[in-house]
Amino acid sequence: MISALKGPTNILELKHMNKLKIYFTGILLLISAGVMKAQDQVKPMSDIPGFKSKLEEMSKAVLSISCDFVQEKSLVVLSEKIISKGVFFFRKENNIRWEYIQPYRYLIIISNGQLYTRDDRNQKVYDIESNRMFGEMNKFISGCIQGDILRNDVDYATEYFENSSYYFVKLVPRDEKMRAMLYEVHIWFDKKDLTVSALKMVESGQDYTKIDFINKKLNTDIPLEKFSFK
Amino acid sequence: MPAIGKPDSFSWFRGDTGRYLFQSSIDVFNNNYSGLLFIKPLGNIRRIVFITETGIKIFDFEFSETGDSKVHYCLEAMNRKSVINTLLKDMSLMLYNIPENSNVKVMQDKGTGKMIFRLSDNYGKRYCIINREIQRVEELISTGAFTNKLNIKFFSTKISEPDSVILSHYNLKLKMHLINLNEN
């Protein structure tokens, strides 16, 4: 996804983005965006290599994540917020389930190279592998969950911060076209277990989407049925 | 017969109402977008913002009762002039129903007793069917030379807000289905 948005060919693809692409972009942004739940003062990270090393260890050790999430869409100019809630499941390799429960049920599953969406009226399945961009997006998503995304210096300028409870990473897309849609991305990692606690996507107009991941459980047995398209 | 008054006199989205949040599905020329449609009256203007379930903004439009509209944002994938112009026109009619400077003829359906406004203005010719009991628009039919072009239906069991809205074109692949999430 990252490199897909860089080159002119892929910018052309973006111009013709259909719903599927938006879904992917949405997931990408949700996962790469940061929520600042604990917004106490941050300072520049003192040991960036140490942080990256710990993140890599976490990535290897975590086989599954399940949690609740609260998504807040802020329309700044209108002084309005739209809150959505749901549950999130991840199981290695590359099985992801986003399940919105409020304000209405909406399900996104990525598994076995396919993306599935369902609401109360429609369900759709898309083949990720047949499209290079989607393939890269999928790789990117799992990379975010496991922290690999921070290795990508080509597409994002990355800044590292921390406070007593969190590591805070700010990603700024280098591509101008990308920045028109996504101005900045913030990711908050819990210092206790290095999992992503919060994501925030800031748009160019200062509207933003932020997601808090709460009640996290690591390495519980999540049955594969959770990722089947039923 | 009540006075026609302002463009939003019979609208579900008048300036004195609160915000609305709809579960929405929009089919635009073979692409389907689903998500949340947010409508907020701000005095004499209305703002409509459409975002996906995952929070990605698809468009942000502003409408005034004089018929002017403004695009604050539109996702590049949808940002085609023909699409934008059609959406702006449709949504303006959904919000204001009876634009200023319309030639209006008030009629009554003999069978149902419903009040019908026959309009002719910059948007073309239309029929606007009013629910007399609650003084809100029930259906809006835009007509062409030979066939109907656009139909907007408002469904409600309440006086204050529509439960759902269906907007469909006869000659274009454009359809919107809005279901009220009852936040008000």
Side-chain angles (χ1 to χ4, degrees):
Chain A
M1 172 58 191
I2 299 166
S3 58
L5 290 171
K6 282 190 69 190
T9 304
N10 295 306
I11 289 168
L12 191 65
E13 277 188 282
L14 185 64
K15 283 180 181 173
H16 296 90
M17 186 185 290
N18 58 18
K19 182 179 181 184
L20 172 57
K21 296 175 185 176
I22 293 170
Y23 280 133
F24 271 110
T25 311
I27 294 166
L28 177 156
L29 296 174
L30 290 177
I31 288 175
S32 355
V35 171
M36 298 183 207
K37 187 179 180 181
Q39 293 193 29
D40 49 329
Q41 288 291 316
V42 292
K43 59 182 181 183
M45 199 180 291
S46 59
D47 181 12
I48 295 172
F51 162 69
K52 286 184 171 178
S53 170
K54 279 191 269 187
L55 199 59
E56 200 156 322
E57 284 172 30
M58 181 280 291
S59 171
K60 286 176 186 165
V62 172
L63 303 175
S64 74
I65 301 170
S66 63
C67 64
D68 300 323
F69 69 86
V70 179
Q71 177 181 307
E72 178 185 299
K73 177 71 185 183
S74 178
L75 303 168
V76 176
V77 177
L78 300 180
S79 306
E80 292 285 353
K81 288 178 179 172
I82 300 168
I83 306 294
S84 306
K85 293 178 182 176
V87 289
F88 172 83
F89 298 94
F90 166 76
R91 173 173 162 164
K92 273 187 178 171
E93 299 284 336
N94 298 334
N95 296 297
I96 293 165
R97 179 186 176 104
W98 283 95
E99 186 174 355
Y100 287 85
I101 295 168
Q102 293 177 5
Y104 56 89
R105 289 195 169 270
Y106 183 77
L107 178 64
I108 303 169
I109 294 175
I110 299 173
S111 185
N112 292 323
Q114 290 185 308
L115 181 141
Y116 169 82
T117 64
R118 187 179 76 204
D119 60 21
D120 55 354
R121 285 169 294 160
N122 296 307
Q123 52 182 337
K124 292 176 182 173
V125 180
Y126 304 94
D127 186 11
I128 296 170
E129 302 303 330
S130 64
N131 185 300
R132 187 177 66 87
M133 186 168 79
F134 297 162
E136 289 188 20
M137 282 182 182
N138 188 39
K139 191 174 157 191
F140 175 80
I141 290 164
S142 60
C144 281
I145 294 166
Q146 299 177 83
D148 297 345
I149 182 64
L150 301 183
R151 292 181 191 148
N152 187 336
D153 295 330
V154 178
D155 299 291
Y156 292 100
T158 311
E159 294 176 57
Y160 297 87
F161 304 89
E162 66 183 321
N163 61 25
S164 59
S165 306
Y166 297 95
Y167 294 112
F168 167 47
V169 180
K170 190 198 294 188
L171 300 162
V172 180
R174 295 186 193 275
D175 182 77
E176 286 301 317
K177 292 259 182 185
M178 182 70 168
R179 285 199 85 190
M181 186 167 71
L182 177 63
Y183 188 73
E184 223 169 58
V185 166
H186 302 167
I187 309 178
W188 293 78
F189 296 90
D190 193 321
K191 277 192 167 178
K192 280 181 272 185
D193 56 17
L194 272 293
T195 56
V196 176
S197 284
L199 307 167
K200 183 174 183 179
M201 174 192 75
V202 183
E203 298 165 22
S204 54
Q206 295 305 304
D207 286 353
Y208 61 81
T209 303
K210 57 180 192 171
I211 308 166
D212 283 316
F213 293 98
I214 52 178
N215 304 325
K216 279 177 283 182
K217 292 173 189 156
L218 303 181
N219 294 334
T220 56
D221 184 24
I222 303 172
L224 273 175
E225 287 75 41
K226 278 278 181 198
F227 308 98
S228 67
F229 304 162
K230 288 180 185 172
Chain B
M1 198 70 74
I4 294 169
K6 297 178 68 180
D8 66 353
S9 290
F10 298 94
S11 171
W12 290 98
F13 309 104
R14 301 198 314 206
D16 57 356
T17 56
R19 72 175 206 169
Y20 293 91
L21 190 64
F22 292 95
Q23 178 182 354
S24 309
S25 174
I26 302 181
D27 292 305
V28 186
F29 303 116
N30 297 324
N31 287 325
N32 173 261
Y33 301 86
S34 75
L36 296 154
L37 191 90
F38 181 83
I39 300 178
K40 183 165 184 175
L42 293 163
N44 291 332
I45 66 165
R46 308 285 180 273
R47 198 80 170 253
I48 296 185
V49 182
F50 184 41
I51 59 172
T52 67
E53 286 85 356
T54 52
I56 306 305
K57 197 190 296 176
I58 296 182
F59 59 69
D60 179 352
F61 297 154
E62 180 181 311
F63 302 88
S64 77
E65 63 181 15
T66 58
D68 295 328
S69 54
K70 185 176 177 182
V71 178
H72 286 281
Y73 176 82
C74 186
L75 189 77
E76 208 168 351
M78 194 189 263
N79 203 350
R80 283 186 285 163
K81 196 174 178 183
S82 60
V83 174
I84 298 288
N85 287 343
T86 306
L87 284 173
L88 290 174
K89 194 172 164 182
D90 291 355
M91 289 183 173
S92 182
L93 286 175
M94 181 180 78
L95 294 171
Y96 291 111
N97 314 141
I98 306 169
E100 285 180 344
N101 305 320
S102 291
N103 291 318
V104 183
K105 185 177 179 183
V106 183
M107 304 184 295
Q108 186 170 339
D109 186 306
K110 287 179 181 173
T112 62
K114 286 179 179 172
M115 184 164 63
I116 300 171
F117 294 152
R118 192 172 74 185
L119 307 165
S120 179
D121 51 38
N122 295 337
Y123 294 91
K125 291 180 180 176
R126 281 186 321 289
Y127 292 91
C128 196
I129 301 167
I130 306 295
N131 183 324
R132 299 182 80 146
E133 285 178 31
I134 58 174
Q135 295 289 300
R136 291 287 187 278
V137 63
E138 210 171 62
E139 187 173 1
L140 200 149
I141 303 162
S142 179
T143 63
F146 302 106
T147 59
N148 290 344
K149 292 195 293 188
L150 169 72
N151 182 290
I152 307 176
K153 280 186 179 174
F154 300 85
F155 301 90
S156 183
T157 53
K158 298 179 276 294
I159 296 175
S160 57
E161 54 191 283
D163 295 327
S164 67
V165 181
I166 295 176
L167 185 155
S168 51
H169 278 264
Y170 293 90
N171 305 321
L172 294 176
K173 290 181 178 177
L174 200 159
K175 184 170 185 176
M176 280 199 294
H177 189 189
L178 315 179
I179 300 168
N180 196 340
L181 292 170
N182 294 322
E183 281 204 323
N184 287 332

